[in-house]
Amino acid sequence: MKKIFTFFAIIALLIAVQAQTTKTMNFGGAEREYLEYVPTSYNASTPAPVLFVLHGLGDDMSNMFNASGFRSIANQHGWIVVTPQALVASVSLLGQSMEIGTAWNSGVSANFLGSDIVINDGVDDSGFMMAILDDLIANYNVDQNNVFVTGFSMGGFMANRLAIEHADRIKAIASVSGTIGNEVKAATPNANVSTMHIHGTADGTVGYDNADFNVAIVSVSVGLGAEATVDYWRNFNQCSATPIVTNYPDLTNDSLTFERYEYTNGNNDSKTVFIKVNGGDHEWYYTPVNDIDYTTEIYNFFASCQGQTGISENDNNVSIYPNPANSVLNINGDGISEMRLFNAMGQQVLSSNEKSLDISQLAEGIYVANLIFANGETLNQKVIISR
């Protein structure tokens, strides 16, 4: 269940960053690792929200942290971001033990050729993450009412398990391409928790309908399907049956369309959100290549659970004008060190540190301006060139 977010990883590595710290903890008889990122914008006098970011099968904490883009969220909003490392898992197939890479005990299980397989059964990853949270509380001013979890693929399964087992400590989760595993699908959460689930209808790794996972030539279901996962949380939270539906503008040539369903009025102010990606595969989509940016959508969802408005184009008091533009594009704002312009295919077509840009040679169409600030923050804004 591993995906490398190549474009996003390159962008993340080019951004000026604060130091991240690799921490170790002896838990459950094993030496466990995690990345702890406390941005310079953290203020000890102000309680800081905490975000856990969980990698997928075979992946690692460094790649997930760099590729997912939550460093920028931490820098802008003073959040503490934690990216734990899963242990290597082995499964027994046809009488032989075989390593399958790093994996969470996320509740993923299946019956394969008559054998019941539970991934990393016996590893208390849920307890490990709560121990990390306890350590953060002991060392920082943590906003314990705003602890969030997001994860990709098996990390998404793990986010759901954490929400089921520790809903009393977690405000909200967002899972991408990872549903509720077979081992926990019958469990009842101990409190209401807001959830977001994002899934592509053409996911070839964790099937949209039944969480089918291909092993050799056999397909096995490892958990609930995407819509069944949404129904699990909507029903438990007792959200309204009729969603608020948003169709995102189809602006890029990516053969995808995005639909958002929000079920509100759940118990204890909980809500359930589903983003259906028509034609989407087992990937983490982002602008300017795609119509939406998962990292931004996830942060905005978490911010809404806090009663905040999330990221807007004016967070940095920046304006790009005229828009639509003809031959010249102007940028108004302080602290901008560079602007990059990407076309609808995600290709960089311009890079400059000037405030007035000559775009007369660019073709008409939709572009994304990626502004990079001296303090490491970034901002994306759509720009239309029309003549």
Side-chain angles (χ1 to χ4, degrees):
M1 300 181 193
K2 180 180 179 182
K3 277 286 182 180
I4 302 298
F5 322 130
T6 53
F7 176 84
F8 217 167
I10 292 170
I11 293 295
L13 291 174
L14 290 174
I15 299 173
V17 299
Q18 283 72 47
Q20 62 197 46
T21 304
T22 299
K23 295 289 192 75
T24 59
M25 173 186 296
N26 192 289
F27 184 85
E31 192 78 2
R32 303 299 302 266
E33 286 187 315
Y34 60 98
L35 288 178
E36 179 184 280
Y37 186 75
V38 182
T40 56
S41 54
Y42 165 76
N43 185 337
S45 65
T46 304
V50 171
L51 172 62
F52 284 82
V53 181
L54 309 180
H55 66 74
L57 176 67
D59 205 354
D60 62 73
M61 59 187 185
S62 295
N63 182 64
M64 187 65 188
F65 178 75
N66 288 324
S68 62
F70 286 106
R71 183 199 324 259
S72 178
I73 299 299
N75 291 342
Q76 292 180 53
H77 303 284
W79 287 27
I80 297 172
V81 177
V82 175
T83 313
Q85 177 65 53
L87 297 176
V88 173
S90 297
V91 297
S92 179
L93 294 176
L94 303 177
Q96 295 189 357
S97 180
M98 178 176 64
E99 282 192 1
I100 61 171
T102 54
W104 305 108
N105 180 8
S106 61
V108 167
S109 69
N111 184 279
F112 180 69
L113 300 180
S115 297
D116 291 323
I117 297 173
V118 182
I119 303 300
N120 253 352
D121 190 24
V123 176
D124 186 10
D125 284 317
S126 186
F128 168 50
M129 294 180 202
M130 292 302 98
I132 294 174
L133 179 58
D134 289 336
D135 186 74
L136 291 173
I137 292 169
N139 290 282
Y140 301 100
N141 187 0
V142 168
D143 184 351
Q144 297 183 53
N145 293 318
N146 286 296
V147 176
F148 305 101
V149 183
T150 187
F152 175 69
S153 193
M154 186 172 276
F157 281 96
M158 191 66 222
N160 277 288
R161 179 165 200 163
L162 281 168
I164 291 171
E165 296 180 344
H166 298 287
D168 56 334
R169 303 191 71 183
I170 295 171
K171 180 78 168 182
I173 67 162
S175 62
V176 178
S177 302
T179 64
I180 297 175
N182 284 329
E183 296 300 296
V184 295
K185 66 184 182 182
T188 301
N190 62 2
N192 296 108
V193 57
S194 293
T195 66
M196 168 183 274
H197 183 63
I198 306 174
H199 215 118
T201 60
D203 193 319
T205 303
V206 179
Y208 179 88
D209 292 327
N210 300 302
D212 291 333
F213 181 70
N214 294 321
V215 182
I217 59 173
V218 179
S219 180
V220 294
S221 177
V222 298
L224 296 179
E227 294 183 15
T229 295
V230 176
D231 287 341
Y232 173 99
W233 287 113
R234 180 179 61 81
N235 291 328
F236 173 75
N237 288 326
Q238 296 187 16
C239 296
S240 56
T242 303
I244 301 168
V245 181
T246 303
N247 292 307
Y248 294 88
D250 187 13
L251 302 176
T252 61
N253 186 25
D254 58 2
S255 301
L256 305 173
T257 58
F258 299 83
E259 302 171 5
R260 188 180 192 274
Y261 300 83
E262 180 170 356
Y263 301 88
T264 59
N265 299 320
N267 291 341
N268 298 310
D269 296 322
S270 60
K271 58 185 173 181
T272 303
V273 173
F274 178 41
I275 296 181
K276 180 180 181 181
V277 187
N278 296 301
D281 202 346
H282 198 71
E283 297 187 27
W284 187 290
Y285 293 114
Y286 51 87
T287 56
V289 179
N290 309 108
D291 296 322
I292 71 171
D293 181 275
Y294 281 4
T295 301
T296 301
E297 292 295 326
I298 290 168
Y299 169 73
N300 284 347
F301 169 66
F302 289 155
S304 73
C305 294
Q306 294 179 287
Q308 300 179 6
T309 57
I311 297 173
S312 71
E313 292 180 352
N314 293 318
D315 275 353
N316 298 82
N317 295 317
V318 169
S319 60
I320 299 178
Y321 63 94
N323 194 6
N326 185 318
S327 58
V328 176
L329 192 64
N330 300 298
I331 304 171
N332 181 43
D334 296 327
I336 301 171
S337 59
E338 185 180 4
M339 189 202 81
R340 299 167 183 172
L341 199 65
F342 295 85
N343 63 19
M345 299 299 293
Q347 301 165 323
Q348 182 176 313
V349 295
L350 184 150
S351 176
S352 175
N353 56 10
E354 301 294 328
K355 293 293 185 74
S356 183
L357 309 176
D358 181 0
I359 56 171
S360 60
Q361 300 305 308
L362 297 180
E364 290 187 309
I366 296 172
Y367 295 78
V368 172
N370 172 241
L371 304 181
I372 301 174
F373 295 83
N375 62 2
E377 296 180 10
T378 63
L379 179 69
N380 290 335
Q381 183 169 325
K382 287 186 175 64
V383 174
I384 298 173
I385 297 178
S386 178
R387 301 184 180 91

